[in-house]
Amino acid sequence: MWEKKLLLVAVAAGSVLLTGCGPVKLADTAPAPLLETVVMPTKAELKAQMSGQGTKIILSPVEYSDNHAKDFTSEVYEDLSQRLLKSGNTLVDRTLAAKLKNELLAAESSGKYRTSGPAVADIAIMTKISEVGLTSRFSESRSWVDDDGEKHKIEASCRFESTAELNVRAYKIPSMELINTYEYEGSSSSSTETRNSKCPISDASASTLVSRALQDAVKSGSFETLNDLAPDAYVIERRDNEDSSKALFQVTISKRAGAVEGATVKFYRKSIDVTPITNEERVRKTLLGEGEIIAEDINEQTSYVYVKDKELIESLQMGDIAQLEHGKCDADETQVFGSCVKIPGI
């Protein structure tokens, strides 16, 4: 009962946040002047981004540390690939990715990747199921009498828990510069009444628990990877309300790329730094601030972001980068005390 009350409080708090001072409506705004940023996207970049061609990624076939994990590699690959696609990226054909696996492993070791011919992808992701485990714990039956004199009994039972860990590495191609390494961790559990202290479990039940633990690992950890690899979208329009105290910025983040009401969008400005002596150019992105996507006019090419910070409103320029911030929870879930919960009506 206490947990239910806590959940209700969290739901109520979430409702206040969602129904409080809402963003400005599109109909209450008008186009406003917008300066161009220094490093503007090219027409080709903008066209490709608006047509849904995000970062090109090679998702290499999933490796595994022992044979216990071998049977789960395909479902991990599918889960991760779907999350990458839904975040606006483009995946290299799975068959081609499999053919390139050995070449990528060699490049990972040597730091060199072939540079001849057209670029197959921008990013390579290497994934390994580093650990899967299944444990059990037996609990004897127990009885007690409460303060009102009522008798209670909990039957003997076995609790099973599966844990899973994934190691994920992302590299730039062809430089093989390491973008980041990620450790995904997940778990799942179940209980059954039994007097058998050895806690027997069928192969099918054990497989289901391991599968759920791996799903939890991908879900819990992949949002960091998705944020690091989020394709660049761009600011293309500004709209102000009557007194310019609130503004909407149209960005090229589409419904297909994950644009949903309330999602956080971070704005960056791209600049080019030239390394002394070598004269090598490196792109640098500076964080400017953030806003949230409104419900109106989320379409297949663009969406609108509500910005309330006056300083950010005045500093944003056409061509600035907009990146969707992926959270731990899916679009139809709410985070409550660190867990993702589906709450009807919110």
Side-chain angles (χ1 to χ4, degrees):
M1 178 64 72
W2 176 240
E3 282 130 355
K4 288 183 178 178
K5 286 182 179 179
L6 283 174
L7 181 58
L8 288 172
V9 170
V11 171
S15 299
V16 170
L17 288 173
L18 290 171
T19 58
C21 297
V24 63
K25 294 182 179 179
L26 189 59
D28 296 333
T29 64
L34 193 60
L35 296 174
E36 289 189 359
T37 191
V38 174
V39 184
M40 286 284 291
T42 65
K43 290 182 179 180
E45 288 174 332
L46 185 59
K47 183 178 179 180
Q49 203 277 326
M50 292 184 72
S51 64
Q53 298 177 27
T55 306
K56 291 186 294 183
I57 296 175
I58 299 175
L59 182 59
S60 183
V62 177
E63 305 166 72
Y64 50 92
S65 56
D66 58 60
N67 288 330
H68 290 99
K70 183 178 179 180
D71 294 337
F72 303 95
T73 55
S74 291
E75 63 183 70
V76 170
Y77 184 99
E78 185 64 24
D79 192 352
L80 188 53
S81 65
Q82 288 302 311
R83 291 179 183 276
L84 288 165
L85 287 169
K86 289 178 181 178
S87 62
N89 295 295
T90 301
L91 290 185
V92 168
D93 178 76
R94 185 170 184 170
T95 302
L96 177 57
K99 290 180 180 179
L100 294 172
K101 178 180 178 180
N102 290 335
E103 187 175 338
L104 287 169
L105 288 171
E108 186 179 38
S109 300
S110 65
K112 296 179 180 179
Y113 184 78
R114 64 180 178 87
T115 57
S116 60
V120 176
D122 309 302
I123 303 292
I125 295 180
M126 318 283 281
T127 308
K128 183 177 183 178
I129 302 176
S130 53
E131 184 178 332
V132 290
L134 181 63
T135 59
S136 62
R137 185 177 74 251
F138 177 73
S139 298
E140 296 279 4
S141 63
R142 55 193 186 278
S143 303
W144 76 95
V145 178
D146 62 24
D147 294 340
D148 297 325
E150 292 187 30
K151 294 182 179 180
H152 301 271
K153 182 179 180 180
I154 296 179
E155 299 294 340
S157 65
C158 279
R159 178 179 172 81
F160 302 94
E161 182 174 13
S162 177
T163 56
E165 294 181 10
L166 301 174
N167 174 266
V168 181
R169 295 96 66 201
Y171 296 91
K172 292 182 181 179
I173 291 179
S175 68
M176 291 306 291
E177 178 184 346
L178 180 65
I179 297 172
N180 209 342
T181 59
Y182 311 90
E183 296 295 332
Y184 298 179
E185 298 180 353
S187 63
S188 67
S189 62
S190 67
S191 296
T192 183
E193 291 185 2
T194 180
R195 294 181 181 179
N196 189 339
S197 61
K198 293 183 179 179
C199 293
I201 185 171
S202 67
D203 289 343
S205 296
S207 179
T208 297
L209 276 173
V210 172
S211 178
R212 288 175 180 171
L214 286 164
Q215 290 172 15
D216 184 55
V218 173
K219 179 178 179 179
S220 300
S222 60
F223 75 95
E224 293 184 31
T225 308
L226 296 178
N227 285 332
D228 282 350
L229 305 183
D232 290 346
Y234 305 100
V235 175
I236 58 175
E237 182 193 26
R238 168 180 168 178
R239 299 180 67 91
D240 289 352
N241 68 343
E242 289 184 358
D243 61 1
S244 301
S245 61
K246 297 179 180 180
L248 298 176
F249 288 86
Q250 189 178 29
V251 298
T252 59
I253 300 177
S254 66
K255 183 177 181 180
R256 174 184 173 184
V260 293
E261 180 185 6
T264 298
V265 172
K266 291 191 173 182
F267 295 101
Y268 298 85
R269 177 153 302 149
K270 183 184 291 186
S271 60
I272 297 177
D273 293 340
V274 179
T275 305
I277 302 177
T278 64
N279 289 325
E280 291 180 323
E281 292 186 349
R282 293 185 67 87
V283 176
R284 180 165 57 91
K285 293 196 299 187
T286 303
L287 179 64
L288 301 175
E290 63 183 46
E292 68 174 55
I293 294 177
I294 66 169
E296 293 182 85
D297 204 22
I298 298 175
N299 57 56
E300 296 306 316
Q301 290 188 321
T302 64
S303 55
Y304 282 94
V305 179
Y306 167 59
V307 175
K308 60 182 178 181
D309 182 85
K310 188 65 176 178
E311 185 176 341
L312 178 59
I313 291 174
E314 296 305 323
S315 64
L316 280 174
Q317 297 177 350
M318 183 182 296
D320 278 337
I321 293 171
Q323 283 191 341
L324 187 66
E325 183 77 359
H326 295 275
K328 177 181 177 181
C329 300
D330 291 335
D332 60 346
E333 296 176 326
T334 300
Q335 189 163 334
V336 179
F337 305 124
S339 298
C340 296
V341 180
K342 291 185 178 181
I343 304 175
I346 292 185

